[in-house]
């Protein structure tokens, strides 16, 4: 069959799996990949963003050159969620990192380096605010000493009680990686963590085609420069994606009112319904059910401290 020019102009549906800011790699439903550009104006629901289209976006595109696999993005489909950060410190514009994320994972290490509970809780709060299901991956269990393991088990107990699934793994020694790979199967997953926690090692073992450089301190090099980094989706054989977010430890900046912060601590939110005052901040009010729960151990002190620290942040903006 000879394809006429008209046939080529039909819109195809595709998933953006890579973005450089000027062109986008789009995968169609048959798995074919096209290098696409944007022409014309895309309607973007009032999002002020430096980058209109990002990895994870579902788009409609038309083929411009079928031999060279070149296309043109015409429409952006509605996003179920997206994660953002500010473009630069001075700018009010945001830089969107990824869209349509099914699950977020934070890699945590108890030692080398130590991840603080406050950092964990901030990450969880932002995932809740973005409405992205989130789990914790405790990596490097192969080198943890007895006291590290004890501390890790305490944290696992705290977080699983709230409802956050925890995975105890060693990316280096391939311990419990299968469980994780299975969980990530068929989903768009975001993986984040402090530099050095083993993110590259973990992504490489789950998705061997990723071939990320281990031990490369790219995040340090990027700091201070106005380099815009673009996320990439890494596909793994069993069917699923990991979005690697270079230069990003966490989730960016979320603007929220102090008063609504507790909505994103699920265990605090649940108990808060029993507080005497409907507008209780759970800090000083009499007959506060949250304070009572902290006292009797139903809410962990470290979680409550994270709540207080975030609450008292001056500008209400929680840089993660
Ligand atoms: P990233 O900065 O988070 O991407 O971390 P890398 O993957 O580059 O790993 C940082 C260092 O931690 C490297 O020396 C890795 O070999 C090491 N590492 C990663 N995962 C593990 C693990 O499960 N156990 C141990 N012992 N070391 C690990
Ligand atoms: Zn209260």
């Amino acid at each position: 069959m000879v394809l006429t020019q008209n046939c080529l102009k039909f819109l195809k549906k595709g998933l953006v799996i890579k973005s450089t800011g000027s062109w986008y790699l789009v995968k169609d439903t048959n798995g074919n990949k096209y290098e696409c550009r944007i022409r014309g104006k895309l309607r973007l629901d009032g999002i002020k963003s430096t980058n209109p289209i990002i990895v994870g976006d579902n788009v409609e595109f038309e083929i411009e050159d079928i031999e060279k696999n070149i296309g043109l993005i015409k429409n952006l489909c509605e996003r179920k969620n997206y994660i953002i950060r500010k473009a630069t410190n001075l700018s009010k514009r945001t830089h969107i990192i990824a869209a349509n994320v099914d699950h977020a994972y934070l890699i945590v290490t108890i030692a080398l380096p130590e991840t603080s509970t406050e950092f964990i809780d901030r990450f969880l709060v932002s995932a809740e605010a973005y409405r992205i299901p989130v789990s914790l991956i405790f990596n490097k269990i192969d080198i943890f000493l007895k006291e590290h393991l004890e501390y890790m088990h305490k944290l696992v107990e705290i977080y699983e009680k709230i409802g956050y699934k925890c995975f105890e793994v060693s990316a280096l020694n391939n311990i419990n990686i299968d469980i994780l790979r299975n969980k990530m199967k068929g989903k768009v997953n975001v993986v984040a963590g402090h530099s050095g926690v083993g993110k590259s090692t973990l992504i490489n073992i789950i998705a061997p085609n990723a071939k990320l450089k281990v031990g490369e301190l790219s995040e340090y090099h990027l700091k201070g420069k106005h380099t815009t980094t673009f996320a990439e989706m890494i596909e793994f054989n069993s069917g699923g994606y990991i979005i690697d977010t270079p230069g990003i430890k966490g989730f960016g900046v979320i603007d929220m009112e102090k008063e609504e912060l507790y909505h994103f601590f699920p265990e605090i939110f649940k108990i808060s319904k029993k507080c005497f005052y409907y507008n209780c901040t759970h800090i000083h009010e009499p007959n506060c059910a949250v304070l009572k729960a902290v006292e009797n151990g139903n809410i962990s002190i470290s979680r409550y401290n994270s709540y207080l620290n975030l609450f008292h942040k001056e500008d209400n903006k929680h840089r993660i």
Side-chain angles (χ1 to χ4, degrees):
M1 191 183 84
V2 180
L3 288 175
T4 66
Q5 197 62 25
N6 260 351
C7 288
L8 298 179
K9 292 293 176 197
F10 280 128
L11 289 184
K12 285 170 83 71
K13 279 191 190 307
L15 172 70
V16 177
I17 56 173
K18 188 178 176 173
S19 144
T20 66
S22 57
W23 61 268
Y24 307 86
L25 194 62
V26 178
K27 200 176 93 163
D28 74 6
T29 39
N30 299 321
N32 300 318
K33 291 171 189 164
Y34 298 85
E35 204 172 289
C36 293
R37 283 166 209 281
I38 311 174
R39 196 187 296 150
K41 276 221 159 112
L42 289 171
R43 277 201 298 131
L44 284 169
D45 296 343
I47 301 169
K48 267 196 201 160
S49 166
T50 50
N51 52 335
I53 291 199
I54 46 175
V55 290
D57 266 332
N58 293 306
V59 293
E60 289 180 324
F61 67 104
E62 67 184 25
I63 296 173
E64 281 213 309
D65 185 330
I66 200 155
E67 260 148 38
K68 292 189 185 146
N69 279 24
I70 289 176
L72 201 59
I73 295 174
K74 300 294 253 185
N75 291 316
L76 170 65
C77 306
E78 199 179 325
R79 293 171 177 150
K80 77 170 178 187
N81 60 37
Y82 55 86
I83 54 182
I84 55 171
R85 69 179 164 139
K86 258 199 221 162
T88 66
N89 281 342
L90 296 172
S91 164
K92 282 215 164 64
R93 298 180 86 195
T94 51
H95 182 72
I96 307 179
I97 299 161
N100 302 317
V101 176
D102 291 315
H103 207 105
Y105 292 88
L106 179 68
I107 307 180
V108 172
T109 46
I110 300 298
L112 299 166
E114 183 182 344
T115 309
S116 72
T117 49
E118 194 176 329
F119 182 76
I120 298 174
D121 294 332
R122 283 184 193 200
F123 188 87
L124 296 174
V125 163
S126 39
E128 293 286 345
Y130 287 127
R131 294 194 183 82
I132 299 173
V134 54
S135 302
L136 301 177
I137 301 172
F138 291 85
N139 189 32
K140 306 199 185 185
I141 58 168
D142 58 301
I143 46 162
F144 291 167
L145 304 172
K146 191 164 162 272
E147 64 260 32
H148 296 139
L149 288 171
E150 277 168 12
Y151 180 57
M152 178 179 74
H153 290 138
K154 231 169 78 184
L155 291 185
V156 168
E157 199 185 316
I158 289 174
Y159 289 107
E160 293 226 317
K161 189 176 157 202
I162 303 165
Y164 297 116
K165 182 111 191 72
C166 297
F167 299 90
E168 300 171 24
V169 310
S170 164
L172 199 65
N173 294 359
N174 198 352
I175 302 171
N176 293 338
I177 297 298
D178 277 351
I179 304 172
L180 207 52
R181 196 186 285 115
N182 256 328
K183 269 280 180 204
M184 292 184 172
K185 216 170 163 169
K187 294 200 173 113
V188 174
N189 307 285
V190 161
V191 179
H194 276 308
S195 182
V197 294
K199 191 171 79 166
S200 315
T201 311
L202 184 91
I203 293 177
N204 282 339
I205 195 166
I206 290 178
N209 45 325
K211 297 191 182 72
L212 299 183
K213 287 204 184 106
V214 168
E216 192 186 44
L217 296 176
S218 53
E219 291 179 21
Y220 292 125
H221 296 311
L222 290 167
K223 247 184 213 159
K225 290 186 193 169
H226 291 287
T227 327
T228 315
T229 48
F230 291 94
E232 184 166 352
M233 260 179 154
I234 300 155
E235 194 169 5
F236 47 98
N237 289 342
S238 46
Y241 298 93
I242 294 177
I243 297 182
D244 184 27
T245 51
I248 294 153
K249 298 188 286 193
F251 260 165
V253 178
I254 311 237
D255 295 322
M256 62 174 78
E257 298 299 321
K258 263 186 194 339
E259 291 70 26
E260 63 170 357
L261 177 64
Y262 75 94
H263 294 211
F264 307 111
F265 283 80
E267 77 282 36
I268 295 183
F269 184 61
K270 199 167 156 207
I271 290 179
S272 72
K273 298 193 170 122
K274 295 189 187 133
C275 292
F276 184 75
Y277 295 101
Y278 80 94
N279 57 353
C280 187
T281 61
H282 325 298
I283 294 176
H284 52 77
E285 293 85 348
N287 290 323
C288 168
V290 172
L291 286 171
K292 251 179 247 156
V294 175
E295 262 162 43
N296 67 27
N298 278 335
I299 287 177
S300 101
I301 291 175
S302 73
R303 289 277 294 170
Y304 184 68
N305 280 339
S306 296
Y307 170 69
L308 286 183
N309 289 342
L310 284 175
F311 189 92
H312 291 302
K313 282 252 170 332
E314 269 170 26
D315 56 3
N316 284 351
K317 290 185 175 63
H318 305 301
R319 186 174 286 277
I320 312 287

